[in-house]
Amino acid sequence: MLGQLRQVPPRVARTLACACVGALLIGWSNSAAAQDGSPEPREHSELDATVVAPFHVARGERVTQARSSQSRTFIVRLSYPDAGRPHAVRWTLTLSGPGPQGAMLRRWSGTEQVGAGGRNITLPWDGRADADARERRMLAPDGLYQLRLLAVADQGTPREAAVEQVWPIAVNRAGAALPQVPAFHAGLLRLDGAPDYRIVYANLHSQTRHSDGGAALDACHGAQEPQTAPFGPIDAYKYAQDHGLDALLTSEHNHMYDGSDGTNTAAVPAEAKALYHTGLAEAAAYTAAHPGFLALYGMEWGVINKGGHLNIVNSEQLLGWERNAGGELLAEVETPKSDYAALYALMRERGWIGQFNHPAYAGQFLVNGQPLGYTQDGDAAMVLCEVMNTSAFSTNDEETETRRSNYEAACNRALTAGYHVAFSSNQDNHCANWGAAYGNRTAVLVIADANTPLSREQLFDALRARRVFATMDKHAQLLFTANGKLMGERFDNHGPLQLSTSFSNSAGRQAAAVAIFHGVPGGNGSVTPISDQAETTLTPAPGPHFYYARLTQDDGNIVWSAPVWVNQLP
């Protein structure tokens, strides 16, 4: 396995040596300052907060006394790798339910001093609905519950940061029947004479030695110093293919092609550009040599602090804003730092498509001061929004990583702002475990003959059509339609609207819950569940709407459909 390798192949070593010439001069600076006068944070130095929440559905065959308690233990994990400095983090974990409108039943909270080493808080739950000292406390009723974590660091200071996570858990003492969801099958994709589709299971967010990824598993403890790790894109593609993925995008940080997380003032522009084009050429060559796999190379544009990361998946040119001491641009196309409106306009002009990466609900992708602010250019260019990721620094290679983040609230904010984005789920791998940290995938419905090698353009066309579902389980298959129109489509409608969800899992998992959600694009309002059934029929009010399905499996893994966008005519 790559995690056991020590020697860098000669071809990789030559590329690394060429790319790092400027870095060896130690000529960069991290002197940019934040608004409060402190140094600008390095990438990946932000607050991270996750909760391990066992879903714990009782299967029908396990009718035992143990099921009566439904007790389990939650673990809140906090870290803040900001140059080792501790931060005061106030955290609150609440349990609400049953159902989306259920009352808050339990609450835990505390304050921790958190640094790079992180803190874990273990919280046993006895399956009861309250925590007072009464001798006979009420058992939590059967149903689906929401566990919500809110962590706030440096509250009340200019560096205040917040992370919110929401995950479902189930209580099922009585062994209630699981919901009935029509089975997914290939025939469902042949609607109205549509062509054949195949499902491509991809990881569309990862890093290698070309930026701050690519470390061996036994040596990976976070982001790497740019261009210093042993494993590059070719290693990543081979690893991903060997682990069953259909496609992998290595998305290197656009501002690290100078060999620095800051600005390398001694960097040579030709070397930065050459490294990017080396990556493009390696991806094309690997795809040509391995017809059953699609190797993609792109960039992760932007910075986290007062910015936001997004992937550009199909740019043939390196974008950037940094300059060396001679004033030379360390990229091919200048893009002002954190100017998202200008970037979207350029992406639309060039035909480039993008993905919002691990989006925060507030403070990122600002346009006219609005988080995830809408522009028509952005709507044309941005096709995906990461709804769930595993830890970027996971060293797990058995698909059992428990550190996972949910960004559904932020993606919903983008949808209600007016963006037409499909949900995606990736791994943001920085260690040499591309696609192996967990079983989550971005699943793309591509028009392609199963016997014909997949092409980049076929995948990109499917992404532009938003024919995507995001899954935490690589064995899941999900389809969502509206009056027979596939998820991702936009159409006018008269009269009733039938929304239908179908699902299958090749590993035998079943649906534990299903919800259909509704929102208004451009309304900047809320997104609310309107049905807990796989199929429902309604007549929308005149005007624009979007709908999507979220299915929770009996192991707690979630699958999200892309939305459908409906303009209801009077």
Side-chain angles (χ1 to χ4, degrees):
M1 298 179 64
L2 288 177
Q4 307 303 317
L5 297 181
R6 290 292 182 273
Q7 184 174 0
V8 181
R11 173 188 48 75
V12 176
R14 286 195 299 271
T15 303
L16 178 59
C18 173
C20 292
V21 169
L24 294 175
L25 299 177
I26 317 297
W28 59 83
S29 169
N30 271 320
S31 60
Q35 290 181 353
D36 61 353
S38 59
E40 183 173 351
R42 290 171 58 91
E43 292 286 72
H44 307 297
S45 64
E46 66 272 8
L47 171 66
D48 185 45
T50 59
V51 58
V52 180
F55 187 68
H56 198 74
V57 164
R59 298 293 295 272
E61 67 271 20
R62 297 205 304 257
V63 183
T64 65
Q65 185 174 359
R67 193 171 70 189
S68 64
S69 70
Q70 293 285 287
S71 61
R72 65 205 78 176
T73 298
F74 308 129
I75 303 174
V76 173
R77 291 178 169 173
L78 307 171
S79 67
Y80 208 139
D82 182 17
R85 293 177 293 182
H87 296 256
V89 179
R90 173 73 177 173
W91 61 270
T92 303
L93 186 69
T94 58
L95 179 66
S96 302
Q101 308 303 322
M104 185 177 71
L105 304 182
R106 294 289 293 269
R107 182 179 184 274
W108 301 264
S109 63
T111 300
E112 306 288 337
Q113 292 294 318
V114 180
R119 296 293 301 274
N120 291 346
I121 303 102
T122 300
L123 303 169
W125 180 53
D126 59 6
R128 297 183 180 273
D130 53 74
D132 63 25
R134 290 180 296 176
E135 186 173 332
R136 295 178 61 85
R137 290 177 289 143
M138 183 178 69
L139 291 171
D142 284 4
L144 203 65
Y145 290 76
Q146 282 192 338
L147 198 64
R148 185 182 301 270
L149 170 67
L150 177 63
V152 182
D154 304 323
Q155 191 167 12
T157 74
R159 299 191 70 124
E160 180 175 314
V163 173
E164 185 173 12
Q165 294 288 296
V166 180
W167 292 104
I169 66 167
V171 172
N172 188 2
R173 296 183 182 85
L178 298 175
Q180 296 299 306
V181 181
F184 175 100
H185 57 86
L188 293 171
L189 295 175
R190 299 188 181 95
L191 302 171
D192 298 327
D196 287 343
Y197 292 89
R198 59 180 287 195
I199 301 177
V200 173
Y201 290 91
N203 178 16
L204 298 179
H205 187 180
S206 69
Q207 281 76 30
T208 75
R209 180 191 40 74
H210 281 199
S211 57
D212 61 348
L217 297 185
D218 58 1
C220 190
H221 307 292
Q224 310 304 298
E225 287 298 323
Q227 301 178 19
T228 63
F231 301 122
I234 293 292
D235 303 306
Y237 301 141
K238 184 179 188 307
Y239 186 100
Q241 185 178 23
D242 289 347
H243 285 75
L245 278 78
D246 298 319
L248 177 73
L249 171 68
T250 54
S251 48
E252 310 292 354
H253 292 283
N254 75 300
H255 60 95
M256 295 185 185
Y257 282 86
D258 63 348
S260 166
D261 189 14
T263 298
N264 179 359
T265 58
V268 178
E271 293 173 357
K273 291 182 280 189
L275 183 60
Y276 187 77
H277 283 270
T278 295
L280 293 172
E282 289 181 340
Y286 192 93
T287 298
H290 302 83
F293 184 83
L294 189 59
L296 303 170
Y297 189 87
M299 76 189 81
E300 185 170 19
W301 188 95
V303 297
I304 287 290
N305 184 49
K306 299 179 179 64
H309 285 168
L310 60 82
N311 275 355
I312 303 175
V313 304
N314 61 333
S315 173
E316 301 293 330
Q317 295 176 294
L318 176 62
L319 314 185
W321 54 83
E322 295 180 315
R323 295 179 179 274
N324 63 14
E328 297 173 293
L329 181 68
L330 300 174
E332 295 172 275
V333 179
E334 184 167 16
T335 49
K337 181 180 178 182
S338 298
D339 188 341
Y340 291 91
L343 177 67
Y344 298 151
L346 177 65
M347 291 174 66
R348 184 180 190 181
E349 175 189 322
R350 302 289 179 91
W352 297 334
I353 54 177
Q355 169 181 267
F356 291 116
N357 289 349
H358 40 72
Y361 184 80
Q364 292 186 352
F365 308 106
L366 297 179
V367 175
N368 296 325
Q370 291 298 312
L372 288 159
Y374 177 85
T375 73
Q376 290 184 340
D377 293 326
D379 191 22
M382 301 304 294
V383 299
L384 297 173
C385 182
E386 286 185 332
V387 68
M388 175 268 161
N389 279 9
T390 46
S391 169
F393 309 119
S394 171
T395 58
N396 189 305
D397 61 355
E398 298 180 347
E399 298 187 349
T400 55
E401 177 59 61
T402 57
R403 292 171 296 168
R404 304 188 290 269
S405 297
N406 185 310
Y407 308 106
E408 190 169 357
C411 292
N412 281 341
R413 184 168 196 168
L415 288 169
T416 59
Y419 282 101
H420 292 77
V421 287
F423 298 116
S424 58
S425 181
N426 304 303
Q427 298 194 8
D428 194 7
N429 309 94
H430 285 68
C431 307
N433 61 344
W434 298 275
Y438 200 67
N440 62 307
R441 303 285 188 265
T442 297
V444 188
L445 277 63
V446 177
I447 298 176
D449 186 326
N451 299 317
T452 303
L454 182 67
S455 73
R456 281 169 32 108
E457 286 310 315
Q458 286 173 320
L459 183 75
F460 296 157
D461 286 346
L463 294 178
R464 290 186 181 99
R466 282 70 166 176
R467 290 194 305 268
V468 179
F469 64 88
T471 177
M472 293 174 64
D473 184 342
K474 65 184 182 183
H475 304 289
Q477 298 174 316
L478 183 75
L479 189 67
F480 183 61
T481 63
N483 283 358
K485 302 289 188 182
L486 281 176
M487 53 192 179
E489 292 197 46
R490 313 175 200 184
F491 64 96
D492 293 335
N493 185 64
H494 289 280
L497 184 70
Q498 182 180 26
L499 303 172
S500 301
T501 310
S502 58
F503 162 79
S504 291
N505 185 295
S506 61
R509 307 269 28 142
Q510 300 180 57
V514 63
I516 296 176
F517 289 83
H518 166 260
V520 175
N524 293 303
S526 59
V527 178
T528 56
I530 58 170
S531 177
D532 60 0
Q533 302 298 309
E535 296 182 332
T536 189
T537 300
L538 66 150
T539 301
H545 305 265
F546 66 82
Y547 303 89
Y548 70 86
R550 184 181 72 196
L551 183 141
T552 305
Q553 294 183 168
D554 57 4
D555 58 356
N557 283 325
I558 302 173
V559 192
W560 293 263
S561 79
V564 290
W565 288 270
V566 179
N567 181 40
Q568 184 72 11
L569 301 175

